[in-house]
Amino acid sequence: MRGEGFGMENADRPVTEEVRPQWAGLDRLGTLELLRLLNAEDRTVAGAVAGQLPRIAVVVDAVAGRMARGGRLVYAGAGTAGRLGVLDASECPPTFNTAPGQVVGVIAGGARALVRAVEGAEDRPELAAADLAALALTAEDTVVGVSASGRTPYTVAAVRGARAAGALAVGLAGSAGSPLVAAAELGIEVVTGPEVVAGSTRLKAGTAQKLVLNLLSTAVMVRLGKTYGNLMVDVRAGNAKLRDRARRIVTEITGTDEETARRALAATGGEVKDAVLVVLAGVDAPAAARLLAAAGGRLREALELARGGVSRD
């Protein structure tokens, strides 16, 4: 689906590589004028993402269903796209207490490509095959290939490999009609148009990718019961700031005082959902854990079970 006003894409060049004549004097602009231009282009990104929300919703529901059955969410990409996937994956454990390996980011060239470009890695599909083989994909897993051009050999190979393994394959591209989306079972095409600095997809295309990955992982975690309302009840309280947040969440949900919340968290090993049940359902920590297990980890359902007279011993 093309964004309006971008014209026809050159068959040999993705839209992100187009050179716009009106920006030819970029290096002669004053600093504030330059920043205004960049900011004006950035403001177009949210609209491009909004146009793909129906497709993103389909992906969210498909991923959540698989993850509820034990599947994993895997991001695959090269360069900026790969780094953004790794970033989103790395933020899921502290935010949503996901298990190790539940959300994974793989990048062409491996870990060293996170901090320094690994030249040529994106052009080697065999690297994607090796990265996916190491994960031993199943039919419950999802692989999201991320590429601004939609043509990156590593990323296209990752999506094809995912389908061959029986996993759900999703293509997230910044160009329309790309090989990546053609290879995928589900596709998202956020066309943000030519970059102010031609070909620099760390700009609008990268921003769009970050927005989509945030939408995807956040919505999936909400569907999996990782929040209660808009509260982060599965937060992993691994530092002082997060411990304070956990205590505030318990007091917010239960209406109790901070000391009671602190004692409940201590009894449950810092688990917010368990602590809420200790306070509101009047159960001990093991019973709270059993209620959550019976409710599939969803606090709202666990509270309903407790109110319905489920055994608390």
Side-chain angles (χ1 to χ4, degrees), residues 16-18 80 148 193-206:
T16 52
E17 298 286 342
E18 290 182 12
T80 296
E195 300 286 1
V196 175
V197 177
S200 182
T201 54
R202 59 182 290 274
L203 298 175
K204 291 189 297 183

Side-chain angles (χ1 to χ4, degrees), residues 1-310:
M1 189 182 302
R2 296 288 309 201
E4 291 183 3
F6 296 143
M8 294 300 292
E9 185 172 332
N10 187 309
D12 299 319
R13 183 176 61 192
V15 66
T16 52
E17 298 286 342
E18 290 182 12
V19 179
R20 283 296 174 86
Q22 66 265 38
W23 296 330
L26 185 73
D27 56 336
R28 295 196 294 270
L29 295 177
T31 301
L32 183 56
E33 190 178 1
L34 170 61
L35 294 174
R36 283 174 174 154
L37 170 59
L38 292 167
N39 181 242
E41 286 299 306
D42 284 342
R43 287 200 298 269
T44 68
V45 174
V49 173
Q52 291 293 295
L53 290 179
R55 293 188 183 191
I56 297 170
V58 171
V59 173
V60 166
D61 289 339
V63 173
R66 284 165 171 77
M67 292 190 77
R69 298 189 294 270
R72 295 166 292 177
L73 172 58
V74 180
Y75 299 126
T80 296
R83 294 183 191 101
L84 289 170
V86 173
L87 172 63
D88 196 78
S90 69
E91 291 177 340
C92 286
T95 307
F96 299 113
N97 201 17
T98 54
Q102 195 173 10
V103 184
V104 181
V106 293
I107 181 171
R112 64 191 177 120
L114 292 172
V115 294
R116 180 175 297 178
V118 178
E119 299 299 335
E122 69 176 56
D123 297 324
R124 298 179 59 189
E126 71 274 13
L127 294 180
D131 288 340
L132 293 189
L135 293 173
L137 294 174
T138 74
E140 301 297 357
D141 295 328
T142 302
V143 174
V144 180
V146 187
S147 167
S149 69
R151 305 179 183 191
T152 308
Y154 175 93
T155 312
V156 174
V159 165
R160 287 175 175 157
R163 293 198 76 168
L168 175 64
V170 179
L172 169 56
S175 298
S178 68
L180 177 64
V181 169
E185 184 175 345
L186 297 175
I188 301 167
E189 296 176 325
V190 184
V191 184
T192 53
E195 300 286 1
V196 175
V197 177
S200 182
T201 54
R202 59 182 290 274
L203 298 175
K204 291 189 297 183
T207 299
Q209 291 164 357
K210 178 70 164 64
L211 288 174
V212 173
L213 297 184
N214 279 171
L215 287 170
L216 174 58
S217 59
T218 302
V220 165
M221 295 303 157
V222 172
R223 293 276 76 85
L224 292 176
K226 297 287 189 176
T227 64
Y228 181 86
N230 65 339
L231 296 174
M232 199 186 296
V233 289
D234 251 336
V235 62
R236 180 176 295 170
N239 57 42
K241 179 190 76 173
L242 294 179
R243 285 191 290 273
D244 285 343
R245 181 180 297 166
R247 188 172 62 253
R248 288 195 303 272
I249 291 171
V250 174
T251 59
E252 175 74 21
I253 295 173
T254 64
T256 193
D257 58 87
E258 287 198 3
E259 183 55 35
T260 301
R262 187 179 289 109
R263 288 198 302 268
L265 284 164
T268 60
E271 296 290 340
V272 172
K273 291 190 289 192
D274 301 63
V276 169
L277 283 163
V278 166
V279 175
L280 290 184
V283 298
D284 60 15
R290 289 196 294 273
L291 282 167
L292 278 169
R298 292 171 169 80
L299 177 57
R300 197 175 298 277
E301 284 83 345
L303 286 167
E304 290 172 357
L305 287 174
R307 292 174 186 133
V310 172

